[in-house]
């Protein structure tokens, strides 16, 4: 069975949509054990807000997708979780909490 693309739990889709909205985003890790409900972890806006987002699948229920936001308790409560199938909800939540897309700078531009 072919893995579905354009799915919020797919790291490439999630990162692309954040980058399309001008967020600086880095893939941190995606090689968790098969028995681990974590699928991948990314870093959003490093150097400013530095929010780690971890995707969980099947954590509480089958076919359940959840995202955990961790910035050390600065903007988000520690281990804040959000269940959604919409990347727009994630982006809106980031902006509402004060994680704004970066203005272009020499640190983030490709050379």
């Amino acid at each position: 069975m072919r893995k579905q693309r354009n799915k919020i739990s797919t790291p490439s889709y999630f990162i692309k949509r954040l980058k399309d909205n001008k967020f600086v985003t880095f893939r941190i890790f995606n090689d968790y054990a098969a028995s681990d409900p974590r699928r991948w972890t990314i870093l959003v806006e490093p150097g400013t807000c530095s929010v780690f987002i971890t995707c969980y699948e099947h954590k509480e229920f089958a076919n359940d997708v959840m995202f955990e936001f961790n910035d050390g308790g600065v903007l988000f409560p520690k281990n804040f979780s959000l269940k959604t199938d919409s990347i727009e909800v994630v982006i809106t939540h980031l902006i509402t909490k004060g994680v704004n897309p970066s203005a272009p700078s020499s640190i983030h531009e490709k050379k």
Side-chain angles (χ1 to χ4, degrees):
M1 183 177 199
R2 199 171 127 185
K3 191 170 185 176
Q4 184 180 7
R5 298 172 195 245
N6 294 351
K7 186 174 160 187
I8 194 166
S9 62
T10 305
S12 57
Y13 174 75
F14 196 94
I15 290 169
K16 180 188 182 318
R17 292 297 305 276
L18 286 175
K19 287 184 175 185
D20 288 348
N21 284 275
K22 310 298 183 216
F23 286 96
V24 175
T25 308
F26 295 112
R27 185 183 310 233
I28 300 298
F29 193 73
N30 67 343
D31 196 19
Y32 293 103
S35 61
D36 193 329
R38 295 175 293 178
R39 294 295 164 240
W40 46 262
T41 300
I42 63 170
L43 179 60
V44 178
E45 291 303 323
T48 56
C49 298
S50 300
V51 178
F52 287 95
I53 301 176
T54 301
C55 176
Y56 290 83
E57 285 186 321
H58 317 296
K59 184 174 182 180
E60 295 176 3
F61 304 103
N63 300 319
D64 193 26
V65 177
M66 182 181 79
F67 300 95
E68 182 179 272
F69 296 72
N70 196 324
D71 68 345
V74 177
L75 298 173
F76 292 89
K78 291 198 180 225
N79 302 319
F80 174 79
S81 297
L82 178 66
K83 288 185 183 182
T84 184
D85 291 327
S86 170
I87 189 69
E88 288 80 14
V89 170
V90 172
I91 291 167
T92 300
H93 208 76
L94 286 169
I95 293 169
T96 301
K97 289 290 190 176
V99 182
N100 295 310
S102 287
S105 72
S106 59
I107 294 172
H108 301 124
E109 290 177 354
K110 292 183 179 178
K111 296 187 181 195

